[in-house]
Amino acid sequence: MYRPVLDALSGSLALTALVAMLPLLTLFILLGVLRMTAWKAALISLVVSLAVAIFAYSMPAGQALLASTEGAIFGFFPILFIVINAIWIYNMTVVTGHFDVLRRSFAKISDDQRIQAVIVAFCFGALLEALAGFGTPVAITSVMLIALGLKPIKAAVVALVANTAPVAFGALAIPITTLATVSGIDEHHLAQIVGRQTPLLALFVPMALVFIIDKGRGVRATLPATLTCGITFAFAQFVTSNFISTQLTDIVASLAAAASMVLLLRVWRPVAAYVEAPEGQTVFSESGIHGGSRASVAVGAAGDKPDHPIGQGAGTVAEMAARDRGHDDSGTEVLKAYAPYLIIIAVFAIAQIPAIRDALAAATVKFQWPGLHLQSASGKPSKIPTFTLNWLASPGTLLIVAGLITIPFLGVSLAKAFGAYLDTYRQLKFAIITVMAVLALAYVMNSSGQTSTLGLWMAGAGSAFAFFSPILGWLGVGVTGSDTSSNSLFGALQVSAANKAGLSPALMAASNSSGGVLGKMISPQNLAIAAAAVGMSGKEGDIFRKVIGWSLGFLLLMGALVYLQSNVLSWMLP
């Protein structure tokens, strides 16, 4: 039975914390500075975490290795199981040509790629986050963005930055439910506080997406759209989380934001529509205002330099543009193109009916990981060795059900559907290695006490801990790739640190989740998923360098907000 000592090095918490940082520093330096491929960086960092656990924390080597195997399996199920099945459904739409129909449908809403990016990455991505989470929105929206004409890395960056404000209420608010369980604080109370923090992010994220695509000029040109989208999403997220339903928060907010954009675009358009040509040149077309005519811009004409492959079988940007010329989709085809996502919504909604939810949950199996015997630092039995196999209630299983229902709607043969499923595994092979390695690293750090050391060290900041509280959540999501996992890891620690510093336990616990959403874009798992989805595996370091500034900038904003809410802005809290 291993029990971690949090100040294992000479009884010094600060010195031990510095050593505990080594796996994370190694990971971020390999990715961001040396631009190493994510799966290699993750494996090297895993070795570093094992070395720290064994030599600094005196964790038995066998226990450390067993913890890493549990983390690796957890990385595959449920996390990768969700992502793989979500991308499988997408790949079936590519095989049948219905993805082209969906892409053209989005393009008809607006011929401006900046507006399209906000609708696809922010609104549609938030809906996917609400239903599935765990990397699904990044995987699907990144390929949709590149199919609409954005460069691969730019599409990946936009998808990652967009996946922020909805995360705390993602996967039907599983992060909030988990936080309530580990912290002992009422779920609705936590949702109310988070619903008064993350909406402020929603106000700025649409503008950030446009800035990534077209810098300050684009922000100014699209301000009516980004403000409409951000304000609508923020207001809907606040109202739903505080007064209606925690689980429905992101579903309501994403649909409301999308509807507001569609209504606005009926009476307003940017003066010049932005279109990024395949060779990187920017083309503008004059757009009429208040429903006036718009000139079309041909992108990817014959002779243009082809772009990177998009998903499985979608072709290059030039090839897709060629397919689009003169193509007028019927209403039936458009309905078929939307069918997979409508089916996903329906399946997940039905799964939340109490009787069905209970029946699915009844098949869940919990067992102790063989040979892994751990205690917490306080000497209580650790929950880490308990593995939950919710094979029937898993969002990944529900996505398989949705995919099977989708097959006849798309008219795809079972052979092609199965072939698309195998292609998905081949497409994500390096992402699979990365996610499993990083979750193995996270479990080693959690089991040995490395993460608890870092949390306890930061909790020594006193009242200033209110500023650092979101950073702790950010760190947890950066390592695990999941706001749910971060809340499970640090939720109780946030409460004890708050009591020690004389701060509100509910505020600190909620801040863990709100700060955690900003770690999604720099987590190696999401970087690997985004890179694989747009055909840029091996370029995770380049993507990391482009998103780290946004992650840190928004994190500072959240830290300042929480600190102010702990004193001068206490009136904001319920």
Side-chain angles (χ1 to χ4, degrees):
M1 183 70 71
Y2 170 74
R3 177 180 176 180
V5 178
L6 303 186
D7 55 354
L9 296 179
S10 304
S12 171
L13 184 63
L15 178 60
T16 310
L18 290 175
V19 174
M21 290 180 188
L22 289 178
L24 301 180
L25 290 175
T26 300
L27 184 61
F28 292 145
I29 290 173
L30 292 178
L31 279 175
V33 179
L34 300 182
R35 303 190 186 187
M36 183 177 288
T37 303
W39 69 270
K40 294 179 181 178
L43 289 174
I44 292 173
S45 301
L46 171 58
V47 172
V48 174
S49 71
L50 286 168
V52 171
I54 295 169
F55 297 109
Y57 282 81
S58 301
M59 186 178 192
Q63 294 290 289
L65 290 171
L66 284 171
S68 71
T69 61
E70 184 186 5
I73 297 302
F74 181 79
F76 186 84
F77 187 96
I79 295 174
L80 282 167
F81 192 60
I82 297 169
V83 174
I84 289 168
N85 294 327
I87 296 182
W88 168 55
I89 295 175
Y90 155 74
N91 281 340
M92 284 197 293
T93 68
V94 171
V95 169
T96 59
H98 288 94
F99 181 74
D100 283 334
V101 179
L102 181 67
R103 178 172 49 81
R104 288 190 289 265
S105 175
F106 275 114
K108 286 180 180 178
I109 297 175
S110 173
D111 58 357
D112 192 307
Q113 290 177 343
R114 300 166 299 191
I115 303 296
Q116 292 170 357
V118 173
I119 295 173
V120 171
F122 188 73
C123 300
F124 187 57
L127 180 60
L128 292 175
E129 180 67 34
L131 297 172
F134 295 101
T136 304
V138 171
I140 292 179
T141 62
S142 58
V143 291
M144 293 183 71
L145 290 170
I146 193 175
L148 288 167
L150 294 186
K151 287 293 189 179
I153 288 185
K154 183 179 285 187
V157 171
V158 169
L160 286 165
V161 174
N163 191 218
T164 49
V167 168
F169 295 97
L172 298 172
I174 287 178
I176 302 295
T177 302
T178 302
L179 183 62
T181 301
V182 300
S183 67
I185 299 173
D186 179 67
E187 177 185 306
H188 180 60
H189 188 52
L190 291 171
Q192 286 181 304
I193 298 176
V194 175
R196 300 172 191 224
Q197 295 172 337
T198 56
L200 293 178
L201 292 176
L203 295 175
F204 298 102
V205 170
M207 285 183 275
L209 304 183
V210 172
F211 185 88
I212 292 168
I213 297 171
D214 193 28
K215 307 302 180 186
R217 173 184 58 187
V219 174
R220 292 189 295 272
T222 61
L223 202 57
T226 54
L227 284 176
T228 297
C229 181
I231 291 173
T232 303
F233 187 95
F235 180 75
Q237 193 179 54
F238 162 72
V239 171
T240 308
S241 62
N242 275 263
F243 306 109
I244 301 175
S245 167
T246 302
Q247 282 70 32
L248 295 178
T249 296
D250 277 349
I251 295 177
V252 173
S254 60
L255 293 176
S260 71
M261 288 286 284
V262 172
L263 292 174
L264 173 69
L265 292 171
R266 289 187 175 184
V267 297
W268 173 89
R269 300 267 179 177
V271 174
Y274 176 96
V275 178
E276 186 174 289
E279 65 272 18
Q281 297 176 351
T282 300
V283 180
F284 286 94
S285 65
E286 291 300 320
S287 297
I289 303 178
H290 302 302
S293 62
R294 302 186 307 280
S296 63
V297 179
V299 179
D304 283 345
K305 181 180 178 182
D307 214 323
H308 292 274
I310 302 166
Q312 297 295 310
T316 65
V317 170
E319 290 168 346
M320 286 189 298
R323 293 199 300 269
D324 287 351
R325 293 192 190 101
H327 203 295
D328 188 18
D329 300 308
S330 67
T332 301
E333 288 300 305
V334 172
L335 180 60
K336 286 183 178 179
Y338 280 92
Y341 304 101
L342 296 175
I343 290 169
I344 290 173
I345 293 172
V347 168
F348 276 82
I350 291 171
Q352 294 308 304
I353 296 173
I356 296 177
R357 183 181 62 215
D358 293 343
L360 295 174
T364 298
V365 177
K366 292 186 178 183
F367 60 91
Q368 294 297 111
W369 198 255
L372 187 58
H373 306 293
L374 304 174
Q375 289 183 337
S376 66
S378 62
K380 297 179 180 179
S382 173
K383 296 180 180 179
I384 293 174
T386 302
F387 193 91
T388 301
L389 186 64
N390 59 334
W391 63 276
L392 194 55
S394 167
T397 303
L398 296 180
L399 284 170
I400 287 182
V401 173
L404 293 174
I405 297 173
T406 296
I407 289 174
F409 277 88
L410 295 181
V412 61
S413 68
L414 289 176
K416 282 189 175 181
F418 183 69
Y421 197 74
L422 295 180
D423 283 344
T424 303
Y425 276 88
R426 286 191 285 267
Q427 177 186 356
L428 295 176
K429 57 182 180 294
F430 292 117
I432 290 172
I433 296 172
T434 301
V435 173
M436 293 181 72
V438 171
L439 264 297
L441 176 150
Y443 267 64
V444 171
M445 292 187 66
N446 297 348
S447 302
S448 63
Q450 296 172 52
T451 47
S452 296
T453 293
L454 291 172
L456 190 61
W457 176 60
M458 294 177 66
S463 62
F465 180 69
F467 177 82
F468 293 108
S469 176
I471 298 176
L472 197 56
W474 174 85
L475 183 66
V477 175
V479 174
T480 65
S482 164
D483 202 39
T484 300
S485 298
S486 178
N487 288 344
S488 177
L489 179 63
F490 289 134
L493 180 62
Q494 292 272 13
V495 171
S496 63
N499 289 325
K500 179 180 178 181
L503 298 168
S504 165
L507 175 60
M508 296 302 100
S511 301
N512 191 83
S513 195
S514 298
V517 307
L518 302 170
K520 290 277 282 189
M521 68 180 84
I522 54 97
S523 70
Q525 300 93 303
N526 277 342
L527 291 172
I529 290 167
V534 300
M536 298 293 287
S537 291
K539 299 292 185 181
E540 294 87 356
D542 293 338
I543 299 174
F544 174 83
R545 290 164 65 89
K546 291 182 179 295
V547 298
I548 183 64
W550 292 104
S551 181
L552 293 175
F554 281 130
L555 181 61
L556 290 175
L557 177 65
M558 182 59 67
L561 172 64
V562 174
Y563 178 76
L564 292 174
Q565 285 181 329
S566 70
N567 45 72
V568 296
L569 295 181
S570 58
W571 53 267
M572 288 183 63
L573 302 178

